[in-house]
Amino acid sequence: MISTNFIKSVKLFLDKAPKDSYFRNLKIFKDVKEIDLSSKITIFTGENGSGKTTLLEAIATRYGFNREGGTLNYNFVTRESYKDMDKYIELVKGISMKSFGYFFKAESFYNVQTALSEYDKGNNNGPTFGRDLSEFSHGESFIEFFSKYVDKGLYILDEPESALSPNNQIKLLCIIQEALKQDAQFIIATNSPILLSMPNTTIYNFSGEKIAKCNYEDTDAYKITENFINHKDIFLDELLK
């Protein structure tokens, strides 16, 4: 079957990286040769430091996005502390050609906002969003961005929920579902139980010493949240005694 995705899979050749490379020494990548990305929504989830953001960034950079985020046309650097895992992976692409897309990184979104504001200064049509994103609160700028920018294309999102209230996470879920009707593709790193619940999503759990597909109900984000809500008093008694 011919894939209409922008990216069908990612192949890893980490054994070719220097032996002291951070990502080569992550046990979770041991024996991983290829990861299927044929779903319209693929989510990486798992503990902090598990490697999900490192892989996501490598995929985005290999595809042609700026390391700090932005569209395929963005090209700026504010820090040089990035890993170079992208040199040791290969993307297997579908028939959809590069058009519009966005690499969203929560940690560097301010830098992208600044670059966008500089662009808008020379834009005769005025601010891209009708208003400078820096005038919004942190969470408001996130949801305003997603509302105006997400449509057809490839979207690689790293922790998009980080500044969003639960209500706005639900709004983002709806924005993503609408974009799918325009044949968009999403690759997301998140621990949000709300975003993880999206239908027809392939979830990869970065847990323990392997990367494995899992069901929504088997993710740590779901299990811990469900347990805490249903047994809050027991949890707190045990944690705070």
Side-chain angles (χ1 to χ4, degrees):
M1 183 176 178
I2 297 175
S3 172
T4 59
N5 275 8
F6 295 89
I7 304 175
K8 294 195 299 182
S9 68
V10 55
K11 295 183 178 181
L12 282 65
F13 304 96
L14 304 188
D15 56 330
K16 296 182 179 180
K19 292 184 178 180
D20 61 349
S21 296
Y22 163 76
F23 48 84
R24 179 171 175 171
N25 291 305
L26 285 175
K27 290 182 178 180
I28 206 157
F29 292 127
K30 184 180 179 182
D31 301 325
V32 177
K33 300 302 180 184
E34 187 170 10
I35 296 174
D36 177 36
L37 301 173
S38 59
S39 292
K40 286 298 181 182
I41 307 177
T42 302
I43 290 182
F44 301 157
T45 190
E47 272 297 337
N48 301 134
S50 63
K52 61 186 187 298
T53 290
T54 300
L55 178 59
L56 193 80
E57 181 187 296
I59 293 171
T61 306
R62 186 72 176 182
Y63 192 77
F65 289 108
N66 188 60
R67 287 186 183 275
E68 292 189 42
T71 70
L72 290 163
N73 297 321
Y74 279 46
N75 185 19
F76 65 89
V77 177
T78 60
R79 63 187 178 91
E80 294 286 357
S81 60
Y82 294 101
K83 307 168 186 71
D84 59 355
M85 186 178 180
D86 56 288
K87 297 178 181 177
Y88 307 100
I89 67 170
E90 177 184 314
L91 302 181
V92 179
K93 299 179 181 179
I95 63 172
S96 290
M97 303 300 291
K98 287 183 179 180
S99 54
F100 185 77
Y102 206 95
F103 176 31
F104 178 91
K105 294 189 69 174
E107 68 176 7
S108 58
F109 186 61
Y110 175 80
N111 300 338
V112 177
Q113 281 182 247
T114 302
L116 182 60
S117 296
E118 289 300 314
Y119 164 79
D120 283 340
K121 288 178 182 178
N123 182 5
N124 294 329
N125 296 319
T128 302
F129 294 93
R131 181 177 160 194
D132 192 322
L133 284 178
S134 63
E135 297 177 13
F136 293 89
S137 74
H138 193 37
E140 286 175 326
S141 69
F142 273 36
I143 202 64
E144 182 72 7
F145 165 80
F146 291 127
S147 298
K148 299 288 178 63
Y149 243 82
V150 175
D151 190 17
K152 176 179 172 59
L154 172 65
Y155 298 91
I156 300 177
L157 313 179
D158 183 27
E159 299 183 340
E161 78 281 6
S162 62
L164 298 180
S165 67
N167 186 52
N168 276 331
Q169 290 181 45
I170 292 172
K171 286 183 181 179
L172 175 56
L173 182 154
C174 294
I175 290 168
I176 291 172
Q177 295 302 308
E178 279 299 309
L180 292 179
K181 297 176 184 177
Q182 306 299 321
D183 215 22
Q185 179 184 1
F186 292 85
I187 306 171
I188 306 170
T190 183
N191 282 315
S192 163
I194 293 172
L195 297 183
L196 280 161
S197 73
M198 289 186 288
N200 303 314
T201 295
T202 296
I203 300 173
Y204 285 100
N205 192 19
F206 285 57
S207 179
E209 297 185 358
K210 65 179 181 178
I211 300 171
K213 290 183 180 180
C214 72
N215 296 320
Y216 171 59
E217 292 81 6
D218 294 325
T219 63
D220 288 342
Y222 175 86
K223 290 189 290 187
I224 292 171
T225 301
E226 181 193 38
N227 266 327
F228 186 84
I229 290 173
N230 291 335
H231 309 286
K232 174 178 67 68
D233 292 339
I234 295 173
F235 255 83
L236 293 177
D237 285 345
E238 185 65 27
L239 290 171
L240 304 179
K241 65 181 180 181

